[in-house]
Amino acid sequence: GLLEHPTLPPALAVPTAAYKLFVSGKSGVGKTALVAALAGTPVPPTHHETLGIEATTVYWPAKPRGAERPVMFQLRFWD
């Protein structure tokens, strides 16, 4: 995933669909590792509890089926 919103020329500008995804579950099951892998950042090698909430924003370009233009998805993971 892309961590920062990519700059596109005006001719290639696409709409952005923003989503907030809350990741929850038992301790030590891999929630933080999943978010790190999706964001393209290194997965922590050892387990440590997340204190509070860590927010990670990922921009993911995609072309939905049946759509004429691609869409830029802004995914805000709350872990």
Side-chain angles (χ1 to χ4, degrees):
L2 303 169
L3 294 178
E4 296 179 7
H5 193 287
T7 9
L8 299 171
L12 297 177
V14 295
T16 300
Y19 292 93
K20 186 183 294 183
L21 304 167
F22 181 70
V23 183
S24 68
K26 291 186 177 184
S27 178
V29 296
K31 299 176 299 292
T32 301
L34 171 69
V35 172
L38 291 173
T41 59
V43 176
T46 58
H47 169 70
H48 70 289
E49 285 194 34
T50 304
L51 301 175
I53 294 176
E54 288 183 15
T56 305
T57 303
V58 176
Y59 288 90
W60 205 311
K63 185 174 179 190
R65 288 186 203 158
E68 295 179 16
R69 299 180 61 191
V71 174
M72 184 68 67
F73 288 96
Q74 177 188 26
L75 306 175
R76 291 183 184 152
F77 290 99
W78 282 35
D79 172 27

